[in-house]
Amino acid sequence: MQRSFKKTLFALTVAMSTFASPVLLSAEIPQGTKLDATQHFRINNGSDPSSLDPHKIEGAPEGNIVRNIFETLVISDAQGNIIPGVAEKWEHSPDYKVWTFYLRPNAKWSNGEPLTADDFVYSFQRLADPLTASPYASYLDYLQLLNADDVISGKKPVTDLGIKALNQHTLQLTLSESIPYADKLMEHYVLAPVNKKAIEKYGDKWTNLNHIVTNGAFVPITWIINEKIELVPNPNYWDKDKVVLQKVTFYPISLSKPELDRYRSGDLDATETMPTEMFHRLKNQYLSEVFVPKALCTGLYEFNNQKPPFNNPKVRQAISMALDRNIITDKVLGQGQVASYNFTPNYISGGEKIKAPEWASWSQDKRNQVALQLLKEAGYDKNHPLTFSLLYNTSDDHKKVAVAFTSILRKNLQGVVNVKMINQEWKTYLDSRHQGNYELARAGWCADYNEATTFLTYFLSDSSNNTAFYKSKTFDDIIAQAYKAQDDEERAKFYAKAEEQLSQDAPLIPVYYYVKPKMIKPYVKGFAVNNPTLNYYLKDVYIIAH
């Protein structure tokens, strides 16, 4: 089902490693293919995005759209390998601290104006600016961009950030540590360029459809809240001649049954998920249309570590131990998900040495006994039960898992725990987590790039992603040491040590590693369903005659 891609070629120079562009990047159509007269791709997005501003977003519903209307310095192919985006090539110093990106001379904004290195300088500075209050500002810290921490905290001006334009088409980044995988981080949508003129003229309203200026393969033309978002090709995109689709429509269908009904009726070309209770039947019935790729994602529940009852690590550890994850993966979901006891998947780059905590090998009965003892030590028993709320965002699967979670705890902890479920729509749910208005919340984290720090930096004390409000100097120091590691082997040891610390402190309950089941019509080609980072670029998609 997937089209082939030519691999990026790497040319090594004496002083710098240079990454060069392949000849063909976008939709590659086999000779003799008959295209459909209507190149309209209709896909479910699960929710409406909270914003189209790359610096104001943090979730998959936003990223799915923003990734296709903005383009970063690098993007990825169908297998998740980094390939050129706005930058046609790049190089790094021998110590991996200085990275230079060479922008395409024909890169433009959707209004036809040239896209320059200064636009990226402005965008990185806006992301770091405390006044922007980006939920992803910490991403520049993960990159170890020079002075990022001090700029984000307001101690230094944005002009001190380690980024500069050497000329109109050459961008240079200076890092405080050696980051051999820095180019992987460049793909994330938060590092997309944003248009300074539009922002200065319209302020927060710059993303209104009659104001927005983008640089990706598509531009948004319609946004009807709770109904649809429509995109059309960007006539000024540098690779416009290889974009085949003439329209893309994203639907915000949050429930799997209505989604399936619309797919079956022909109103959708691709789903966002699949109903768990119908998964095996659908897989047999629609053999060529069902895809179940493994993803670099972890489903979890995160504790609000800053307030009772979960400011007590004994309580957190007890709840985590008492959860029988196999019931959720095998009986509730049953699509190939794997029970997880660590936040970071050990199959991600750098995660090879990560091991599950010792108690993961115990019987569930033994875990339950230890969990009850921990709760007793914390002051909870049948006469004084632990009562808390569980927050989850609207989704059939999230509700099913939440119901199972509460039932498992009630049984395994013999009535010592009472759980109240609270459901909120996506935007409200995100706000509740950031404001700390929850006790235990459903969460999911997918890799921003294929390297273990994309998970581990989430729990740094000053991370803007850290909605668990977990603060540990020990954990922070381990990650700091990892950045100074001399090689991959040493770095992997620190990653494993960091996961050991998370297991000990239990700021979260890892539940399962994702698969991402989808249904895609057989006439849809070029959709990179097997990309492990779930970065889908619709400029590669086309519809064959059917």
Side-chain angles (χ1 to χ4, degrees):
M1 290 290 291
Q2 301 302 317
R3 64 182 176 79
S4 62
F5 283 74
K6 295 184 178 179
K7 294 183 179 179
T8 305
L9 301 174
F10 301 121
L12 181 65
T13 63
V14 175
M16 311 282 276
S17 292
T18 302
F19 301 82
S21 169
V23 176
L24 190 56
L25 292 175
S26 291
E28 183 180 340
I29 304 172
Q31 189 173 3
T33 299
K34 186 176 180 181
L35 295 176
D36 197 81
T38 303
Q39 290 295 317
H40 181 193
F41 182 55
R42 302 158 300 170
I43 183 171
N44 183 30
N45 196 42
S47 299
D48 258 326
S50 58
S51 171
L52 296 181
D53 184 335
H55 297 160
K56 299 290 188 179
I57 61 177
E58 58 182 312
E62 295 80 16
N64 293 338
I65 297 171
V66 166
R67 190 175 295 111
N68 286 286
I69 63 176
F70 292 92
E71 185 170 271
T72 43
L73 291 166
V74 305
I75 55 177
S76 58
D77 66 16
Q79 289 74 43
N81 302 309
I82 293 298
I83 59 175
V86 175
E88 60 183 354
K89 61 180 181 179
W90 56 95
E91 59 190 22
H92 60 76
S93 59
D95 63 0
Y96 296 99
K97 287 188 176 182
V98 179
W99 290 75
T100 306
F101 293 85
Y102 299 91
L103 277 57
R104 300 177 184 279
N106 59 336
K108 295 180 181 179
W109 291 105
S110 56
N111 62 7
E113 295 180 358
L115 176 63
T116 70
D118 286 322
D119 292 316
F120 279 94
V121 172
Y122 167 76
S123 302
F124 277 52
Q125 290 177 348
R126 180 177 183 259
L127 172 62
D129 192 335
L131 295 177
T132 303
S134 173
Y136 247 111
S138 295
Y139 197 79
L140 296 175
D141 270 340
Y142 311 158
L143 177 61
Q144 295 291 299
L145 192 62
L146 188 65
N147 295 326
D149 185 44
D150 286 340
V151 172
I152 293 168
S153 63
K155 295 177 182 178
K156 290 184 177 180
V158 296
T159 50
D160 282 2
L161 204 61
I163 183 170
K164 62 182 177 180
L166 300 184
N167 56 50
Q168 191 175 17
H169 296 114
T170 309
L171 182 74
Q172 188 174 88
L173 305 183
T174 302
L175 313 183
S176 56
E177 301 289 349
S178 298
I179 308 293
Y181 51 88
D183 52 345
K184 292 183 179 180
L185 277 78
M186 292 297 111
E187 184 183 13
H188 198 273
Y189 57 70
V190 77
L191 299 184
V194 292
N195 190 275
K196 181 178 181 180
K197 290 180 181 178
I199 293 171
E200 290 183 342
K201 184 174 182 179
Y202 299 110
D204 288 341
K205 295 183 178 179
W206 80 274
T207 53
N208 289 4
L209 298 194
N210 54 338
H211 300 154
I212 193 168
V213 179
T214 70
N215 76 308
F218 298 90
V219 292
I221 59 166
T222 306
W223 186 355
I224 302 174
I225 301 295
N226 295 325
E227 185 176 331
K228 64 181 178 180
I229 291 180
E230 293 180 326
L231 314 180
V232 296
N234 174 3
N236 290 298
Y237 179 56
W238 66 267
D239 204 21
K240 63 180 180 180
D241 292 339
K242 298 196 182 82
V243 176
V244 178
L245 293 177
Q246 291 305 301
K247 181 186 283 188
V248 177
T249 302
F250 288 92
Y251 294 99
I253 309 167
S254 60
L255 301 178
S256 57
K257 181 61 167 61
E259 176 188 33
L260 177 61
D261 289 343
R262 294 187 67 172
Y263 179 85
R264 282 172 153 173
S265 69
D267 290 338
L268 279 177
D269 302 312
T271 67
E272 197 271 336
T273 185
M274 292 175 64
T276 53
E277 69 278 8
M278 299 177 66
F279 173 72
H280 293 288
R281 182 164 48 136
L282 290 170
K283 191 175 180 181
N284 291 329
Q285 186 178 357
Y286 297 92
L287 184 62
S288 65
E289 300 177 39
V290 172
F291 299 86
V292 193
K294 186 163 67 172
L296 291 170
C297 299
T298 303
L300 63 138
Y301 287 109
E302 64 179 21
F303 297 107
N304 187 332
N305 286 248
Q306 69 179 350
K307 66 182 187 182
F310 296 126
N311 58 343
N312 186 334
K314 289 185 177 181
V315 177
R316 301 195 300 263
Q317 192 68 266
I319 301 300
S320 185
M321 281 186 171
L323 177 63
D324 188 337
R325 292 151 173 82
N326 291 320
I327 292 177
I328 291 175
T329 57
D330 300 344
K331 296 182 179 180
V332 179
L333 297 174
Q335 298 168 318
Q337 292 86 350
V338 177
S340 64
Y341 298 89
N342 297 108
F343 183 46
T344 309
N346 62 8
Y347 50 88
I348 197 171
S349 178
E352 300 81 11
K353 295 183 181 297
I354 292 173
K355 296 181 180 180
E358 180 187 357
W359 60 262
S361 64
W362 298 350
S363 69
Q364 190 59 53
D365 284 343
K366 182 177 179 179
R367 294 182 206 172
N368 297 343
Q369 292 171 13
V370 174
L372 285 167
Q373 179 60 37
L374 289 170
L375 289 176
K376 185 177 181 180
E377 292 172 7
Y380 299 103
D381 55 30
K382 287 185 178 180
N383 296 322
H384 301 90
L386 171 66
T387 300
F388 61 90
S389 61
L390 167 60
L391 174 67
Y392 68 96
N393 60 295
T394 303
S395 160
D396 287 340
D397 283 351
H398 298 335
K399 182 177 181 179
K400 290 171 188 172
V401 173
V403 170
F405 175 87
T406 59
S407 176
I408 293 167
L409 290 189
R410 190 181 306 113
K411 175 179 179 293
N412 289 353
L413 295 176
Q414 303 172 12
V416 175
V417 169
N418 295 319
V419 185
K420 176 186 177 182
M421 298 196 311
I422 299 175
N423 166 240
Q424 293 178 346
E425 295 299 321
W426 178 249
K427 295 178 187 179
T428 307
Y429 154 85
L430 286 177
D431 185 64
S432 293
R433 286 176 60 199
H434 279 285
Q435 297 302 319
N437 295 328
Y438 76 94
E439 292 176 307
L440 181 69
R442 172 268 153 191
W445 187 255
C446 293
D448 292 328
Y449 48 95
N450 190 1
E451 211 276 339
T453 51
T454 189
F455 282 87
L456 294 168
T457 51
Y458 179 101
F459 281 106
L460 289 172
S461 297
D462 59 356
S463 168
S464 54
N465 299 127
N466 184 359
T467 49
F469 306 102
Y470 166 69
K471 296 185 183 300
S472 166
K473 185 178 185 303
T474 302
F475 179 82
D476 294 348
D477 287 346
I478 294 171
I479 300 302
Q481 290 175 298
Y483 278 118
K484 297 181 182 299
Q486 296 301 304
D487 54 38
D488 292 343
E489 177 82 7
E490 184 182 5
R491 194 175 296 110
K493 289 180 181 179
F494 282 118
Y495 294 160
K497 188 176 180 181
E499 274 293 341
E500 288 176 9
Q501 190 65 41
L502 289 180
S503 295
Q504 177 180 318
D505 294 343
L508 77 153
I509 306 173
V511 182
Y512 60 90
Y513 297 130
Y514 279 36
V515 290
K516 193 63 179 174
K518 278 183 178 292
M519 297 185 73
I520 304 175
K521 296 290 187 182
Y523 51 76
V524 175
K525 304 297 181 182
F527 191 94
V529 71
N530 290 313
N531 187 319
T533 57
L534 308 181
N535 293 338
Y536 306 132
Y537 296 95
L538 302 184
K539 71 174 189 174
D540 298 328
V541 174
Y542 56 96
I543 311 293
I544 64 172
H546 59 281

